[in-house]
Amino acid sequence: ASALSRAEAPASAAVTLGAGGASAGANDPPGPPTPGAFIFHPRISAGTEFNSNTFGSRFLPVSDRIDFMTPGLFVTTRWPRHALTADVELSHRTYQETDLETVDFKGRVGGTLDVTRRLAVGFDVSMNRLQSAVIVDNLPVDVVFGTRDLPDRIGLVPITQTTEAVWARYTSYWLTNQLTASHSTIEYGQAPLLGGGTASVSSRNEVTQDVSNRTELRVSHRLRFLTEL
């Protein structure tokens, strides 16, 4: 599967890191203990997946069995106003047939400032560094999907995607409007060549600026209208 489309649904469990968590009564609903003003949600998933076309090649599909282990941690505040959140995840993947190993990293930090009861502003910063197991030929080819020419060599190409966004949101009983401005970059690492060495594929790098507006009109608790520009 392509590194940029890779996704898992990890099982999660909430525990207390450190002392000082609030005790729960016998009739309270279950929930994570909270040391101080932060709630910690560690998680981990592990398993095996089978892919009949691991590298997405149109000419020579390669099937593989992939073992993965993915630990992660989500942290959020429990303040009555404002909020900070952080989420980090590592994923180790072992390709059994092609004898490859990849280590991916995903991180995200966000914050919300409640200016008034109806107006809030915030930010969101994320970075994904993925090692895409792709097939390359003796020339730089499609390093994401490996879909050009017959494959001669299997290589790992690191892909780093970074996004920074700021937003402002107004909320009333019947209307929610959010304006978002974002900046995103995708950078590709070096592609291996057939006879050894690497080649630059920086021409595939992307930089994107985006401004969007999302309006939600709640006519009733069952009927809503959405518009995005």
Side-chain angles (χ1 to χ4, degrees), residues 22-35:
S23 60
N27 297 324
D28 291 342
T34 55

Side-chain angles (χ1 to χ4, degrees), residues 7-207:
E8 288 114 13
S12 63
V15 298
T16 298
L17 301 185
S23 60
N27 297 324
D28 291 342
T34 55
F38 294 90
I39 302 177
F40 297 80
H41 293 271
R43 64 183 183 271
I44 188 169
S45 64
T48 300
E49 63 183 61
F50 175 80
N51 194 317
S52 61
N53 191 2
T54 305
F55 309 110
S57 174
R58 294 177 297 175
F59 302 99
L60 185 61
V62 176
S63 62
D64 210 334
R65 180 171 61 87
I66 307 167
D67 299 329
F68 65 88
M69 177 173 290
T70 307
L73 175 65
F74 176 75
V75 181
T76 185
T77 56
R78 54 194 304 265
W79 305 332
R81 292 187 60 193
H82 318 306
L84 286 174
T85 61
D87 193 7
V88 293
E89 180 179 281
L90 288 175
S91 181
H92 180 270
R93 301 167 66 86
T94 303
Y95 295 75
Q96 298 297 327
E97 299 299 326
T98 50
D99 194 27
L100 290 172
E101 291 188 10
T102 65
V103 178
D104 300 338
F105 169 80
K106 298 179 181 180
R108 182 174 182 175
V109 177
T112 301
L113 174 64
D114 297 322
V115 181
T116 68
R117 187 170 63 90
R118 299 185 184 276
L119 178 64
V121 296
F123 71 93
D124 189 88
V125 178
S126 64
M127 187 187 77
N128 300 331
R129 182 172 175 81
L130 311 175
Q131 288 181 290
S132 181
V134 300
I135 294 176
V136 297
D137 201 351
N138 60 334
L139 293 174
V141 295
D142 192 329
V143 297
V144 179
F145 299 107
T147 54
R148 297 180 194 163
D149 304 325
L150 292 177
D152 291 310
R153 183 184 176 97
I154 295 175
L156 296 177
V157 178
I159 304 172
T160 303
Q161 182 176 16
T162 306
T163 302
E164 307 93 14
V166 291
W167 53 265
R169 181 175 61 232
Y170 174 81
T171 304
S172 67
Y173 175 77
W174 56 275
L175 176 71
T176 298
N177 191 86
Q178 179 166 316
L179 178 65
T180 303
S182 64
H183 174 269
S184 179
T185 60
I186 300 178
E187 296 181 353
Y188 296 90
Q190 302 292 308
L193 299 180
L194 179 61
T198 59
S200 173
V201 289
S202 59
S203 60
R204 299 189 59 90
N205 294 352
E206 300 178 17
V207 178

Side-chain angles (χ1 to χ4, degrees), residues 199-220:
S200 173
V201 289
S202 59
S203 60
R204 299 189 59 90
N205 294 352
E206 300 178 17
V207 178
T208 305
Q209 290 87 27
D210 181 73
V211 177
S212 62
N213 189 81
R214 186 178 190 270
T215 302
E216 177 180 334
L217 177 63
R218 290 190 287 268
V219 179
S220 69

